[in-house]
Amino acid sequence: MLKKIWKYLSSMQFAILLLLILIVSCAIGSFITQGQTFEWYKEAYSERAAALIIATHMDDLYHSPWFLVIAGFLIANLLLCNLIRAPQLFRRFKDEQKIDKALSESVTCSFHSVDKPGPVFAALSMPKPVKAEADGKKILFSSSNRIGLWGAWICHLGVVLLILGFGLGQMTHEDYSLYGVSGQSKQVGDTSYICSIDSFRVELRDDDTVSQYRADITVHDSLTGNSQAAEISVNHPASLFGYKYYQNSTGWAARVSVIKNGSLLQETVLCAGESLTVMDLPELILHFNALYPDYVFIDGRGPASASGALNNPAYLYTLYYKEQLLGMNVLMEGETITVDDYEFRFSEPQNYTILQIKRDRFTALAFAGGILTLLGIFLAFYLQPRKVWAVQENDGSWTVSGLSIKSSALFREQMEQAIQRSQNSNT
Amino acid sequence: MLKIENTLFTAVMLLYFASMILYFVFIAVKNDKLSRVAILLQAAGLVLHTAALICRGIGAGRLPMTNQYEFATSFAWGLCLVSLIFTYRFKFPMIGAFSAPVIFLIIGYAAMQSREVKALMPALQSNWLGFHVSTAIIAYGAFGVSFVVSLIFLLREKMQDRSFWDRHVPEKEKLDLISYRSVCLGLLFLSFCIISGSIWAERAWGSYWSWDPKETWSLVTWLIYAVYLHLRIRRGWKDRSAAWFAVIGFICVIFTYIGVNTFLPGIHSYK
């Protein structure tokens, strides 16, 4: 029984079944929006569908236990297949250059009464044939592309490393996000690193489209006191203290001043989406909703921005007192909001940067797997092993034979053409 | 430059259309000369198509591979190139005859897209763009050839007038081989495409695989052709069944290209 299970687990039949399940699962996962709640699916589909999606983990299909089990089975299948095939392949690899083996094998095609076999080998781009003798007959033998025998094996190994690298990376990776304006410093997640945003600029083209987002950052290790600095932009991340820093996104920020009875009470830079709690009246909260750099009011649509340039900045805010909505409006540059003794003012609109900080120790393993997969596919498809040998008959003519297991029809045709060319050159 | 590209694009459409009609007539009247003229028209179309893409590249100041129009016209170019190579390599004009309508449909789809030249967003400003997209074009072209050869394979069995088909269509074993060879080429380039895309995504987005619909469907396509190759090794799955699988595989390719952008928008939806 165990032997049967072992055999099935390593079989191609099982591999095909797993691949088909993966195909169907991946396709389903692409149609169902991932990472949503029961309520969201209920709204989008129906209550019954939502219950089914949650129960079968299709809301996070690619990380679901059953998907991981399938990936695990695929790794086991490919490893077992490679393990079983390795000694066999190694033997075949050695035998590829043995003349006696070739003579005893069934051939793809054979041609009799060939006058000169030399040009046939050349026409087939075979290496220079080796001379030998068997049963008193002269033999010319050549074999090529035997490394191609390992193609599928290497490809399988590559896929295994790729899945392992990806899976281990998913399990162990660290992923942080950080945002701020020039001059701000923030801790990177729960690490000992402090990231300072030295400067951040959005580079625009003449037509107002963004050409690049660029940030200069310095990272300080609070444990050792060491610092490392780098410039990062989209497509150009930097590696600092083993973490990769990516220029991910951007948004608008502004300076908010709170004035009480004519004197400055507090001042801070708020990014859109952040709130400010008034120092001596914590029940009073100002929420900075959005910034319109080139403010226009469109009938039927409301506030909008005519362009990305800071031509006419306006700030959308909401005020709360004791968790009750006091008001929501758009404030222009220089205008103030007054609530009893307090005045609020927005100024210095500027872009803030969103950085992504990652560490994945298994990326290299996954990429090595990818390279091996590519190499394996190339070897399997484009370096197919072939053997050609010629045996001199008693009448002095030669019998030329060839063997290519894969693409035998093409090989036969190539041999026919080579023989034809050789015969024509003789006449 | 973009005006020249516009003119060339129209000429290319006309040449591909004329070539398709000539191929149809060739099959209808069974005149071999017509197939040779059709191949020449297709080749002329490819030359002008190459010139059109170069003009677009110069006019836009970048590789013409970043939106639906540019990828569709490049896809048609890739299919035309691979089909002509296989036509020449295997002396088999019927590949051209069956590719011509597919090429015309794809270039027709391109003609319906916006041809506006837009500056590249920062994420697309990478040296990987050219490699990633051109490998996709070759892969899709090769899968397209495998699709048409498999169709020929399936139709060959149904044809009553065998003499014409016997004369112009190779025997089943060779058709299966051509389909297999084009799938091999396609799979190799699709692997290049996926891996180069992953390396690029890791640099641009900080994640080499995000299960974005385009990524997922490229993987689905890769897996389908992997199944095709494994099934061919198993007895009884060569020929007819393999031909059907190659047809399904190409439907998947088309979905990955058009369907995903239309129905499943994600980070790859560059309009």
Side-chain angles (χ1 to χ4, degrees):
Chain A
M1 184 67 180
L2 269 176
K3 209 174 169 185
K4 266 188 179 174
I5 294 172
W6 175 265
K7 205 176 164 191
Y8 185 72
L9 278 178
S10 62
S11 69
M12 191 191 291
Q13 199 182 346
F14 186 51
I16 290 171
L17 178 72
L18 289 172
L19 292 178
L20 289 173
I21 295 173
L22 278 177
I23 289 169
V24 175
S25 318
C26 289
I28 291 172
S30 72
F31 282 104
I32 298 172
T33 309
Q34 298 289 289
Q36 300 297 333
T37 58
F38 174 82
E39 280 67 32
W40 191 95
Y41 292 117
K42 191 179 150 188
E43 186 76 24
Y45 309 111
S46 68
E47 191 167 350
R48 191 183 277 186
L52 184 73
I53 288 169
I54 299 291
T56 53
H57 300 279
M58 280 199 267
D59 57 317
D60 190 18
L61 192 146
Y62 307 114
H63 303 101
S64 64
W66 60 268
F67 193 80
L68 297 180
V69 167
I70 295 167
F73 271 127
L74 188 64
I75 291 177
N77 173 269
L78 293 173
L79 279 178
L80 285 174
C81 171
N82 267 14
L83 215 66
I84 292 166
R85 284 184 65 199
Q88 210 178 318
L89 273 174
F90 192 69
R91 258 196 316 275
R92 269 185 69 192
F93 184 74
K94 280 202 312 190
D95 289 350
E96 275 294 298
Q97 287 187 316
K98 288 183 182 166
I99 300 172
D100 54 333
K101 274 275 172 194
L103 293 176
S104 63
E105 279 174 324
S106 55
V107 297
T108 304
C109 50
S110 212
F111 300 88
H112 302 281
S113 309
V114 177
D115 296 332
K116 282 183 184 169
V120 179
F121 287 94
L124 289 167
S125 308
M126 298 297 290
K128 196 178 173 201
V130 179
K131 288 176 188 166
E133 219 173 281
D135 301 331
K137 291 180 176 178
K138 276 186 188 168
I139 296 169
L140 295 173
F141 175 84
S142 176
S143 77
S144 68
N145 300 344
R146 64 184 181 138
I147 187 73
L149 282 171
W150 290 94
W153 196 92
I154 293 171
C155 178
H156 287 172
L157 182 67
V159 173
V160 168
L161 293 182
L162 220 157
I163 301 174
L164 277 177
F166 181 68
L168 291 171
Q170 290 282 299
M171 280 189 266
T172 60
H173 79 289
E174 293 174 64
D175 193 350
Y176 308 106
S177 181
L178 188 149
Y179 64 91
V181 296
S182 301
Q184 283 187 329
S185 296
K186 289 189 176 176
Q187 189 179 357
V188 178
D190 53 1
T191 68
S192 61
Y193 301 106
I194 310 290
C195 177
S196 305
I197 301 158
D198 302 327
S199 70
F200 174 63
R201 37 203 192 277
V202 179
E203 295 171 358
L204 297 175
R205 300 188 185 92
D206 294 340
D207 63 355
D208 209 27
T209 57
V210 176
S211 124
Q212 188 55 276
Y213 302 101
R214 225 175 275 280
D216 291 304
I217 55 166
T218 305
V219 177
H220 313 273
D221 185 349
S222 54
L223 291 179
T224 62
N226 293 336
S227 296
Q228 289 184 359
E231 183 194 80
I232 56 169
S233 56
V234 179
N235 271 314
H236 301 283
S239 235
L240 304 172
F241 293 113
Y243 288 84
K244 258 188 166 176
Y245 288 74
Y246 297 87
Q247 172 53 54
N248 186 288
S249 188
T250 184
W252 284 104
R255 182 171 295 278
V256 182
S257 312
V258 186
I259 298 146
K260 189 182 178 186
N261 298 326
S263 53
L264 185 68
L265 177 70
Q266 69 188 101
E267 197 169 59
T268 186
V269 174
L270 280 190
C271 296
E274 285 186 326
S275 301
L276 175 141
T277 304
V278 175
M279 226 186 256
D280 59 354
L281 185 61
E283 295 91 344
L284 185 60
I285 292 170
L286 174 81
H287 183 74
F288 177 24
N289 298 72
L291 184 143
Y292 305 100
D294 194 1
Y295 178 72
V296 283
F297 189 87
I298 301 168
D299 286 335
R301 208 183 120 193
S305 196
S307 72
L310 275 169
N311 296 330
N312 183 29
Y315 310 86
L316 179 68
Y317 70 89
T318 316
L319 266 171
Y320 297 93
Y321 182 68
K322 289 187 175 174
E323 295 181 6
Q324 297 293 312
L325 180 71
L326 273 188
M328 184 181 187
N329 211 341
V330 173
L331 201 67
M332 301 306 293
E333 184 87 354
E335 291 180 343
T336 55
I337 326 153
T338 307
V339 181
D340 294 336
D341 299 339
Y342 300 92
E343 263 182 41
F344 298 91
R345 185 184 300 146
F346 286 94
S347 60
E348 296 177 32
Q350 58 189 303
N351 282 113
Y352 70 86
T353 175
I354 303 176
L355 306 179
Q356 204 172 359
I357 300 123
K358 288 203 164 196
R359 175 144 80 171
D360 181 347
R361 293 181 181 88
F362 294 95
T363 301
L365 181 67
F367 282 146
I371 301 298
L372 278 182
T373 307
L374 264 176
L375 177 71
I377 290 174
F378 178 77
L379 291 177
F381 295 157
Y382 291 97
L383 284 181
Q384 295 181 349
R386 42 172 59 182
K387 290 185 261 193
V388 178
W389 62 95
V391 179
Q392 192 167 37
E393 304 298 346
N394 294 332
D395 61 0
S397 72
W398 295 79
T399 296
V400 182
S401 307
L403 175 65
S404 172
I405 295 168
K406 286 181 187 172
S407 299
S408 50
L410 186 67
F411 181 59
R412 192 179 306 127
E413 199 177 292
Q414 287 172 345
M415 274 202 75
E416 279 168 4
Q417 287 168 358
I419 297 281
Q420 193 70 47
R421 248 181 282 162
S422 139
Q423 302 291 57
N424 289 347
S425 65
N426 288 341
T427 55
Chain B
M1 269 299 170
L2 292 172
K3 274 186 183 167
I4 300 172
E5 188 247 350
N6 247 347
T7 314
L8 284 171
F9 183 81
T10 311
V12 168
M13 277 193 76
L14 289 173
L15 278 170
Y16 285 160
F17 181 72
S19 151
M20 180 180 75
I21 296 296
L22 268 182
Y23 273 127
F24 287 163
V25 179
F26 152 66
I27 293 172
V29 303
K30 303 173 178 60
N31 183 337
D32 288 4
K33 273 185 190 165
L34 290 174
S35 78
R36 285 195 286 274
V37 180
I39 292 172
L40 277 177
L41 284 179
Q42 211 173 21
L46 184 72
V47 172
L48 291 190
H49 202 160
T50 312
L53 288 171
I54 292 170
C55 286
R56 172 109 189 155
I58 296 170
R62 54 168 171 76
L63 287 169
M65 297 172 172
T66 59
N67 56 27
Q68 282 288 81
Y69 162 72
E70 290 173 353
F71 191 79
T73 180
S74 301
F75 183 5
W77 179 87
L79 179 56
C80 187
L81 175 75
V82 179
S83 96
L84 279 171
I85 290 172
F86 273 72
T87 302
Y88 174 77
R89 169 84 178 75
F90 293 99
K91 313 266 178 294
F92 180 17
M94 286 295 247
I95 292 181
F98 277 73
S99 306
V102 184
I103 295 167
F104 188 69
L105 277 176
I106 298 170
I107 201 131
Y109 173 76
M112 288 189 287
Q113 305 300 312
S114 163
R115 291 191 214 174
E116 190 190 349
V117 174
K118 283 185 183 166
L120 286 187
M121 59 172 85
L124 290 180
Q125 294 166 31
S126 166
N127 293 333
W128 285 103
L129 171 73
F131 187 76
H132 176 60
V133 182
S134 49
T135 48
I137 289 163
I138 302 290
Y140 285 15
F143 290 139
V145 168
S146 140
F147 165 74
V148 299
V149 172
S150 299
L151 274 187
I152 296 169
F153 184 100
L154 295 167
L155 281 173
R156 195 185 203 281
E157 293 179 328
K158 306 258 181 238
M159 286 300 143
Q160 301 207 324
D161 179 7
R162 303 300 297 238
S163 61
F164 176 74
W165 285 80
D166 285 347
R167 202 150 35 91
H168 290 94
V169 177
E171 65 272 23
K172 280 179 171 183
E173 196 189 3
K174 192 160 175 195
L175 282 175
D176 180 64
L177 173 79
I178 298 169
S179 174
Y180 166 72
R181 298 293 290 184
S182 48
V183 167
C184 292
L185 181 72
L187 196 77
L188 179 68
F189 275 84
L190 183 63
S191 308
F192 268 120
C193 171
I194 293 174
I195 289 168
S196 60
S198 300
I199 297 171
W200 181 13
E202 201 271 334
R203 289 190 69 78
W205 300 320
S207 170
Y208 58 90
W209 194 263
S210 321
W211 295 106
D212 167 71
K214 196 76 147 189
E215 289 174 357
T216 307
W217 275 90
S218 297
L219 177 67
V220 167
T221 309
W222 194 91
L223 289 172
I224 284 181
Y225 284 108
V227 171
Y228 164 91
L229 291 170
H230 283 87
L231 284 174
R232 279 187 89 260
I233 301 169
R234 287 179 67 81
R235 193 178 294 171
W237 262 88
K238 261 191 177 184
D239 306 340
R240 201 176 157 76
S241 315
W244 275 113
F245 229 84
V247 170
I248 294 166
F250 189 66
I251 292 170
C252 201
V253 167
I254 294 291
F255 184 78
T256 307
Y257 168 51
I258 298 171
V260 169
N261 284 25
T262 312
F263 304 113
L264 305 167
I267 46 181
H268 273 86
S269 305
Y270 305 114
K271 298 278 181 188

